[in-house]
Amino acid sequence: SQTIHQWPATLVQPVGSPLSLECTVEGTSNPNLYWYRQAAGRGLQLLFYSVGIGQISSEVPQNLSASRPQDRQFILSSKKLLLSDSGFYLCAWSSQASGNTDTQYFGPGTRLTVL
Amino acid sequence: AQKITQTQPGMFVQEKEAVTLDCTYDTSDQSYGLFWYKQPSSGEMIFLIYQGSYDEQNATEGRYSLNFQKARKSANLVISASQLGDSAMYFCAMRESTGGFKTIFGAGTRLFVKA
C-alpha cells in the first residue's frame, strides 16, 4: 500500500532563516506531488505541484520554492522565512493513472511557526 | 466568484444522528470531480468520498454518502449515525478537467458531535 511521509512534524524558525521541508511517498511510481499551505482556521492553498522529476509548477508567487530531485521525493524550501510563512504545510500525492479522478492523499503535515 | 462554497462554518449533531454538510460549486466544465476530506485535530487530511460529474448514482462509502444534485451544483456530504470520532473539519473540493492538476478546496465546516 502507499504511504506518504513528511518531516519534521513541527518547526519553529526565526524570521530570515532558511527552510527545508521534505515529503516522500512509498508504494507507487511516478506520482503527482503537491505542496499545500493551510493558515489557521482556513482552507488549503495550493503552492506547487509536480508531475515528474525536475518538473515544478508554481501556483502562488512567494518566497518559497519546490524541488523534486527523485521520483518520490518533494522538497519545499525557502532562503529567508517571513512571518507570513507560518502555517500548516501539507504534502499530497495522486496517481497519474487516475485521470480525472485524481484523488489526492495527504501526509501528516508540518506545522511551521516563524517568530 | 468562489469555486467552492461551504456556508456552514460550524455544525452540531447529536451522536447517532445523521448530519448533512453543504457544498455548492461553480464550474463551466462538463467533466469534473468532487471530493470530501476530513481533517481531525491532528491535521492530516483524510479522503472520504469522490463523485464524478458523469456519475449518475450518488457515491457512498460506508456511513458517508454524497448527495449530488448536478443542476443545482451542489454536492452535500451526508454522515449517517454520527460518532464522536466524526468531530473534525470537513472540506469539499473540486477538480475541473480544464484546471490541470489543480484541486480547489472550500473553506471547510467544523462538525461537533455531542454525546
Side-chain angles (χ1 to χ4, degrees), chain B residues 4-59:
Chain B
I4 296 284
T5 303
Q6 294 181 254
T7 57
Q8 307 152 313
M11 288 280 289
F12 286 87
V13 65
Q14 196 68 40
E15 194 179 10
K16 299 181 186 176
E17 292 185 351
V19 63
T20 298
L21 305 184
D22 294 342
C23 173
T24 57
Y25 59 92
D26 181 26
T27 182
S28 55
D29 283 11
Q30 295 301 310
S31 176
Y32 51 91
L34 297 159
F35 307 82
W36 276 93
Y37 287 86
K38 172 185 178 181
Q39 187 177 40
S41 57
S42 61
E44 185 174 357
M45 294 283 284
I46 302 167
F47 166 70
L48 295 178
I49 197 166
Y50 165 81
Q51 178 85 41
S53 59
Y54 291 119
D55 295 340
E56 295 187 354
Q57 303 258 2
N58 285 341

Side-chain angles (χ1 to χ4, degrees), chain A residues 32 34 36 38 42-44 46 49 51 59 88 90 99-108, chain B residues 31-33 35 37 39 41-45 47 50 91 95-97 101-103 105-107:
Chain A
N32 298 321
Y34 309 82
Y36 289 88
Q38 184 179 28
R42 305 287 294 275
L44 273 68
L46 179 64
Y49 66 87
V51 300
E59 287 293 311
F88 191 55
L90 286 155
N100 203 36
T101 306
D102 193 39
T103 298
Q104 295 181 23
Y105 299 94
F106 288 80
Chain B
S31 176
Y32 51 91
F35 307 82
Y37 287 86
Q39 187 177 40
S41 57
S42 61
E44 185 174 357
M45 294 283 284
F47 166 70
Y50 165 81
F91 292 94
R95 181 176 182 269
E96 299 167 289
S97 59
F101 292 90
K102 192 170 182 177
T103 298
F105 287 79

